[in-house]
Amino acid sequence: MTKAAELLGISQSAASAAIRSLEQQHGVQLFNRVGRNIELAQTGRRFLPEAKAVLERAAAANNVLEHVSQTISGSLSIAASQTIASYWLPRRLATFHEAYPAVRLSVTIGNTRQVETNVLDGTADFGLVEGRTESDILRRAKVDVDRLMLVVAHSHPEIAEVSRGHPDIRELRWIIREGGSGTREVLEDLARREGISFADLRIFLVLPSNEAVRQAVEAGAGATIISELVVARAVAERSLRSVPIDLPKRDFAMITHRDRQASLAQMALKAHLGEKADETVRG
């Protein structure tokens, strides 16, 4: 209830009162109250698709009025993977707000799979990911390029190489992100290129965030492959050491649902992020 109220810009008590009013009006129970938590009741699960359809129609109607008036306003919900949400997106959203102060922005953070799901089910207007997406009903547009690094603690022993620029990844103890993460996907791809089963790697620790991974590596727990955006300062301050390795760059991509009409606000943000990406490349 608290998170729903925050997304709607209302108080928690107002959100709870609205749910109670709807339940009382129709004599139904939409949620089961289980201790301090709530979960959808059977009636709520049946009602959910209809509620989503109503909201989508309301959004479509609002888009029509926006296009008629050419007024860029309303709200945008963005789902972004961790690296993008923490290191790439905030400054770009700040400059977007300066240009379009009537647009209200909200951001949720998850891994690539979670972001893809949010866009598919309409929870997010669009997503920003660094990993591969699977659904063929999503449009995908590159907005920037990310450089990846293999890093260990600065005090880590020298790493054996199979050949020049190819460290023996089987001998490393790995700290990685959870399944569905774009960062983990990079290590899976590297193992495949080296002809090594991912299951044969020495996975020491699986963590749910980039910051947790970085701190574990700094503490000497092992090695990881991670975005330069996350570890650039730690490498400069010599708490981490970059290991030479040939890693392909990866795209930061915007994903949208093919069958949903974009609002003027969505088109404005997409153009804004594209412009900022061009500035980054030129810089």
Side-chain angles (χ1 to χ4, degrees):
M1 282 294 180
T2 301
K3 291 180 180 178
E6 288 174 355
L7 287 172
L8 293 170
I10 61 177
S11 67
Q12 181 188 346
S13 59
S16 298
I19 293 295
R20 283 196 302 271
S21 175
L22 189 61
E23 290 177 325
Q24 291 168 4
Q25 181 180 350
H26 296 282
V28 297
Q29 183 173 319
L30 298 173
F31 293 94
N32 293 320
R33 276 75 178 176
V34 183
R36 299 182 62 185
N37 300 318
I38 61 172
E39 60 185 20
L40 276 175
Q42 183 176 0
T43 303
R45 288 195 294 270
R46 291 178 59 188
F47 179 59
L48 182 60
E50 301 300 328
K52 286 183 175 180
V54 169
L55 292 175
E56 288 179 3
R57 288 301 302 160
N62 186 65
N63 288 348
V64 170
L65 294 178
E66 281 188 359
H67 281 275
V68 170
S69 66
Q70 293 295 301
T71 300
I72 299 180
S73 60
S75 61
L76 284 177
S77 57
I78 305 161
S81 52
Q82 283 193 23
T83 303
I84 293 174
S86 300
Y87 297 94
W88 186 87
L89 189 58
R91 290 181 181 274
R92 289 165 172 82
L93 291 187
T95 55
F96 178 82
H97 178 68
E98 291 177 3
Y100 303 100
V103 178
R104 188 176 65 194
L105 302 166
S106 64
V107 179
T108 57
I109 302 175
N111 62 38
T112 297
R113 292 288 81 76
Q114 292 165 338
V115 171
E116 181 176 13
T117 298
N118 288 344
V119 175
L120 288 171
D121 66 18
T123 306
D125 294 315
F126 61 87
L128 291 161
V129 297
E130 68 265 8
R132 289 188 294 269
T133 46
E134 297 176 350
S135 174
D136 59 2
I137 62 173
L138 292 177
R139 290 193 178 97
R140 184 180 174 106
K142 183 171 76 172
V143 293
D144 212 340
V145 177
D146 184 33
R147 179 171 175 255
L148 294 150
M149 303 176 73
L150 169 56
V151 293
V152 294
H154 197 268
S155 58
H156 192 283
E158 289 301 315
I159 298 167
E161 291 186 326
V162 177
S163 60
R164 185 174 179 81
H166 289 79
D168 188 350
I169 63 174
R170 287 171 297 190
E171 295 302 314
L172 290 170
R173 188 167 61 173
W174 289 98
I175 316 296
I176 63 172
R177 286 279 307 282
E178 76 287 355
S181 160
T183 306
R184 177 181 177 135
E185 192 177 88
V186 174
L187 179 58
E188 293 171 344
D189 289 345
L190 175 62
R192 195 177 300 115
R193 288 197 308 272
E194 297 287 335
I196 300 169
S197 169
F198 187 74
D200 290 338
L201 295 180
R202 296 170 60 200
I203 307 299
F204 169 67
L205 195 56
V206 179
L207 293 169
S209 73
N210 289 327
E211 287 303 306
V213 169
R214 179 182 60 77
Q215 291 190 37
V217 175
E218 283 184 344
T224 197
I225 291 176
I226 199 165
S227 169
E228 183 180 24
L229 295 173
V230 180
V231 296
R233 177 175 294 183
V235 171
E237 294 174 350
R238 297 172 64 81
S239 59
L240 288 177
R241 185 176 87 242
S242 174
V243 179
I245 187 173
D246 182 21
L247 291 172
K249 293 181 179 179
R250 64 178 179 179
D251 293 342
F252 284 167
M254 178 185 295
I255 56 173
T256 54
H257 198 290
R258 186 184 63 194
D259 298 330
R260 294 192 179 102
Q261 181 182 6
S263 67
L264 287 178
Q266 290 175 39
M267 290 190 287
L269 181 55
K270 183 175 182 179
H272 181 79
L273 294 179
E275 289 171 1
K276 292 300 176 185
D278 289 342
E279 291 175 8
T280 301
V281 172
R282 289 196 298 270

